[in-house]
Amino acid sequence: MIRHDQEISLLLGRERLMKKLQDKVALVTGSGRGIGQAIAVKLATEGARVVVNDLDDQPAQETVDAIRAVGSEATACVGDVTATDFGDRMVRTALENWGGIDIIVNNAGYPWDNVIQKMSDEQWQVMLDVHATAPFRILRAAADPIRAAAKAEKEAGQVICRKVVNISSIAGVFGNAGQLGYSAGKAAVVGMTRALAKEWGRYHVNVNAVAFGYIKTRMTQEIEGEKTLTRIGENDIRLGIQPEFIDFMNRMIPLGRGGTVEEAAGAVYLFCLPESDYISGQVVLASGGLVI
């Protein structure tokens, strides 16, 4: 027979093995690379099943494989988040595979920078489409299933909190010269976050945003020689930062360095935990202490 103290030890062992996000279903856009990939894998290590998204098949599959390697489940929803049908398609992928939605991370985005006198209508609109309209469509598509689930849980006497984490930037909070369109799109994320927190509070959905500062990714890599052109959708986007500006940023950041993608993912993860069930409508800077 198992003694009482052995029984307690077994129970404690099981509790330690329980993962914080066990069997939660998470949607993470832009998760084939960089910060998005780190977010998806971080959630998966705590038990979440993840719908992965990227423009291309290969990076999406790499993230799916990484998630399966840590013992969780994943499936890919490949495509452009700005497509008019994408929100419905991503939500449908989650429902068809796992029957529900618990976490939505609107991460997909990129900078297409210029000063105002050189910015085209297309450049301006693309920044609004990817950073504001795409998350709006995903959240709108998720509204009915989330509301239905909340109603069923209420009737069963349950309270289950769901999480929305929208990704903004310090450019969206404070503005940044040369990034008018990007700053506007990321500022829209902040307004959307605070409005939706008020709309969805009745359904026990926590809606928050993380505004990143300088995080070291391929989009913020040091430029060597000519600026790097990267094809995103139909556009050639110049990525990278001049070395002298990186040095300046590192001097300005109180922690003295740019963040890693894993640290960026950690900030998002905090808003996905059950410990954050009474936090909503907030914007947290993950910027190493930089306030500009």
Side-chain angles (χ1 to χ4, degrees):
M1 292 180 66
I2 298 176
R3 297 199 320 268
H4 182 63
D5 57 346
Q6 291 176 313
E7 198 171 317
I8 292 173
S9 178
L10 286 170
L11 288 170
L12 290 173
R14 288 194 197 100
E15 282 185 13
R16 281 193 289 269
L17 288 173
M18 284 294 291
K19 296 180 177 181
K20 292 280 189 178
L21 304 177
Q22 192 66 47
D23 297 327
K24 299 292 186 183
V25 178
L27 284 63
V28 185
T29 63
S31 47
R33 302 177 176 89
I35 294 172
Q37 184 179 70
I39 293 168
V41 173
K42 177 65 177 178
L43 300 183
T45 61
E46 287 299 327
R49 299 173 287 192
V50 186
V51 180
V52 172
N53 159 255
D54 195 87
L55 278 168
D56 303 312
D57 289 309
Q58 183 177 344
Q61 189 58 47
E62 287 174 1
T63 302
V64 168
D65 293 342
I67 287 170
R68 290 173 179 168
V70 299
S72 194
E73 300 175 53
T75 190
C77 182
V78 176
D80 185 349
V81 295
T82 66
T84 55
D85 67 338
F86 181 82
D88 291 325
R89 190 158 62 84
M90 193 171 197
V91 167
R92 187 165 61 248
T93 299
L95 297 177
E96 289 177 352
N97 278 273
W98 299 301
I101 297 169
D102 299 288
I103 298 166
I104 299 173
V105 182
N106 284 305
N107 166 75
Y110 59 91
W112 189 8
D113 298 341
N114 226 330
V115 291
I116 189 168
Q117 65 269 26
K118 296 181 180 179
M119 183 171 291
S120 67
D121 286 356
E122 179 194 13
Q123 197 170 356
W124 168 262
Q125 193 60 53
V126 164
M127 289 293 90
L128 296 183
D129 286 346
V130 71
H131 296 118
T133 305
F136 155 71
R137 287 178 177 148
I138 291 167
L139 294 166
R140 181 178 63 183
D144 282 347
I146 285 175
R147 290 166 61 240
K151 181 180 178 181
E153 288 151 9
K154 182 178 180 180
E155 291 172 351
Q158 298 175 313
V159 173
I160 296 175
C161 290
R162 291 176 173 81
K163 312 288 184 172
V164 173
V165 187
N166 295 318
I167 303 305
S168 185
S169 163
I170 57 172
V173 178
F174 303 109
N176 194 34
Q179 289 193 309
L180 190 70
Y182 182 77
S183 296
K186 289 302 191 181
V189 169
V190 172
M192 181 165 51
T193 295
R194 288 177 170 152
L196 195 62
K198 294 177 178 179
E199 286 191 21
W200 280 8
R202 72 190 74 178
Y203 307 122
H204 308 292
V205 181
N206 307 113
V207 187
N208 294 291
V210 176
F212 292 133
Y214 170 41
I215 306 296
K216 292 178 282 188
T217 70
R218 70 187 181 108
M219 294 192 182
T220 59
Q221 64 192 326
E222 183 176 310
I223 296 171
E224 296 180 0
E226 292 297 314
K227 289 183 179 179
T228 303
L229 280 176
T230 299
R231 190 75 171 173
I232 300 179
E234 300 298 318
N235 302 301
D236 290 321
I237 309 298
R238 295 186 184 276
L239 301 178
I241 302 176
Q242 294 290 349
E244 57 270 23
F245 188 71
I246 292 177
D247 290 340
F248 171 74
M249 288 288 289
N250 287 334
R251 290 196 302 272
M252 291 291 291
I253 296 167
L255 291 183
R257 60 177 177 83
T260 67
V261 294
E262 291 78 16
E263 288 169 327
V268 174
Y269 169 66
L270 293 176
F271 278 137
C272 298
L273 290 170
E275 285 84 350
S276 68
D277 283 355
Y278 200 62
I279 301 173
S280 198
Q282 301 305 304
V283 180
V284 166
L285 303 186
S287 62
L290 179 64
V291 178
I292 56 176

